[in-house]
Amino acid sequence: MNDILGILAIIILVILASFHINDKYKQYKKLKSYFKEELQKLELISPELYRHKNSVIAIDIKNALIVSICFNRPTELYTFKTEYILPCSTNKVILTFNETDYEFMIIISRENGGIVRRYHVLDIRDIEVIEEYEIIEQKEFITHIYMKIYVDDIETPYFLIDFLRFRVRVNSKNHFNIRDIAEESMEKIKILILRATKNNADNNRRDVVSTSNISFNISGNVYGSMMATQGAATMNNNIYINEIEKMIEVNGGKDKEELRIMVNEIIELLEEKKEIKKGILLKYSEQLEKHSWITGAIAQLTLGWLIGK
């Protein structure tokens, strides 16, 4: 009798499971049909598709469009030139990069409301790879391999990109492979930040050069005096300081404090109108050579201050 009841219980469980699977399949087909119809309306050109549960992110690189489709919610479109795409393992979070203009977008699945943010790469304050693990039956497993991106955004100060979909054994081949992918992605973003910083410094240098056609009235030694463009110059204590501080924070590395001291010494000279002696920055020559990205910004700071820009 017990054997018969056991067999009946198994049969009932199998039937219930088959109904559940059938319902899931119907839901899947319904969602697939909905996404297909929405995409056809937009006439996208070979879009990259990233599906997460009841939502899809479609990236049309040729038309510079990003489309966020969520079941039973209005479809949202964003104009953005995409050159590099970085999805998390589940497609819940997608990063798209415009490497030409040094911008990026973060799109988070809209199933629970969704988030879309657009930033310049110099808005990134820091970036790191983090691992989380747990112990199961005395065995260590990696549960998450995150890339954590800190940005200048009070509302959302950081984002997590998870590269791991299923847990893996610590120090396994899969662990090292996925860790390498996360670190390579992080290095790619760091290189983009460096390029943006250099581009910013180059623009600053070009701005300094563009002022070379200004006629200055200078007499005697540059001591306790100010240069002016056919009129009285006024000091502006906030010129470029915030920008330089931001550049130091992002790119200064271990030399941040020494770079800050150097900039503060320059500002002190300008504010107090002290004699600018030849070779005053010689002791910082190694840092200036090592961090060439800051020289253009310092030149523009000094010139802007002297002409009262």
Side-chain angles (χ1 to χ4, degrees):
M1 185 68 179
N2 289 335
D3 291 341
I4 294 172
L5 290 174
I7 292 170
L8 287 173
I10 292 171
I11 292 171
I12 292 170
L13 287 173
V14 169
I15 293 171
L16 290 174
S18 65
F19 278 124
H20 179 71
I21 292 170
N22 190 49
D23 287 342
K24 285 286 185 182
Y25 180 72
K26 287 180 179 178
Q27 185 180 7
Y28 169 80
K29 294 286 286 184
K30 185 178 181 180
L31 286 172
K32 187 177 180 181
S33 176
Y34 176 80
F35 295 145
K36 186 177 180 180
E37 288 175 7
E38 288 295 303
L39 290 169
Q40 285 175 343
K41 291 177 188 176
L42 298 167
E43 298 181 351
L44 303 180
I45 301 174
S46 303
E48 301 281 342
L49 301 178
Y50 299 91
R51 179 173 175 178
H52 176 73
K53 297 184 178 179
N54 293 341
S55 64
V56 164
I57 300 298
I59 301 174
D60 185 342
I61 295 175
K62 290 187 178 180
N63 286 328
L65 278 176
I66 297 176
V67 182
S68 178
I69 305 172
C70 189
F71 187 65
N72 286 338
R73 291 192 183 188
T75 295
E76 297 178 355
L77 281 78
Y78 305 92
T79 301
F80 188 79
K81 181 182 178 183
T82 299
E83 296 172 312
Y84 169 53
I85 304 170
L86 179 60
C88 77
S89 59
T90 61
N91 295 331
K92 182 178 180 180
V93 182
I94 308 288
L95 268 68
T96 65
F97 290 85
N98 176 349
E99 295 176 305
T100 303
D101 297 324
Y102 306 110
E103 293 182 324
F104 69 101
M105 284 186 71
I106 292 178
I107 306 109
I108 299 179
S109 170
R110 294 171 58 212
E111 187 181 34
N112 297 317
I115 295 176
V116 177
R117 293 283 190 276
R118 184 169 183 163
Y119 300 99
H120 192 278
V121 294
L122 293 183
D123 290 330
I124 297 176
R125 295 184 293 107
D126 197 6
I127 182 170
E128 61 180 336
V129 171
I130 302 170
E131 293 183 349
E132 291 184 0
Y133 72 94
E134 64 180 0
I135 298 175
I136 303 174
E137 297 179 354
Q138 298 183 338
K139 295 179 181 178
E140 288 187 331
F141 290 87
I142 299 294
T143 55
H144 299 283
I145 299 178
Y146 293 116
M147 183 169 67
K148 191 171 186 178
I149 301 177
Y150 301 86
V151 293
D152 282 329
D153 189 335
I154 296 175
E155 186 178 346
T156 312
Y158 67 84
F159 296 93
L160 293 172
I161 312 298
D162 194 352
F163 288 83
L164 190 60
R165 187 159 192 169
F166 306 104
R167 68 186 183 204
V168 296
R169 288 289 301 272
V170 172
N171 295 333
S172 65
K173 185 177 180 180
N174 283 339
H175 173 201
F176 292 134
N177 286 343
I178 297 170
R179 172 87 189 195
D180 286 346
I181 292 171
E183 290 181 341
E184 286 170 8
S185 300
M186 178 177 69
E187 289 305 314
K188 187 175 178 70
I189 295 172
K190 284 184 176 180
I191 290 171
L192 191 59
I193 294 171
L194 289 173
R195 281 174 49 199
T197 304
K198 184 178 182 301
N199 180 72
N200 198 39
D202 288 344
N203 287 338
N204 286 339
R205 280 194 287 272
R206 280 194 291 271
D207 288 342
V208 172
V209 171
S210 68
T211 65
S212 61
N213 62 342
I214 297 176
S215 175
F216 294 100
N217 296 323
I218 306 174
S219 59
N221 295 325
V222 183
Y223 177 76
S225 64
M226 295 178 62
M227 292 183 286
T229 57
Q230 306 298 329
T234 57
M235 293 294 238
N236 183 348
N237 293 331
N238 294 319
I239 297 176
Y240 309 119
I241 294 175
N242 291 336
E243 183 180 350
I244 293 177
E245 175 61 31
K246 187 175 180 179
M247 292 171 70
I248 292 173
E249 183 63 32
V250 173
N251 304 291
K254 296 179 181 179
D255 302 323
K256 288 180 183 178
E257 191 57 35
E258 191 166 350
L259 290 170
R260 289 192 182 103
I261 292 171
M262 177 183 69
V263 171
N264 287 336
E265 184 173 336
I266 294 170
I267 292 171
E268 184 179 339
L269 287 170
L270 295 169
E271 283 183 336
E272 298 184 10
K273 305 178 186 177
K274 292 182 179 180
E275 181 179 3
I276 302 177
K277 298 178 181 179
K278 183 178 180 181
I280 190 72
L281 297 179
L282 184 61
K283 59 184 174 180
Y284 297 115
S285 59
E286 184 178 342
Q287 295 298 339
L288 288 169
E289 183 177 353
K290 182 178 178 182
H291 301 281
S292 58
W293 47 267
I294 202 172
T295 55
I298 289 175
Q300 188 165 355
L301 165 68
T302 306
L303 185 58
W305 209 303
L306 289 173
I307 67 175
K309 186 175 177 182

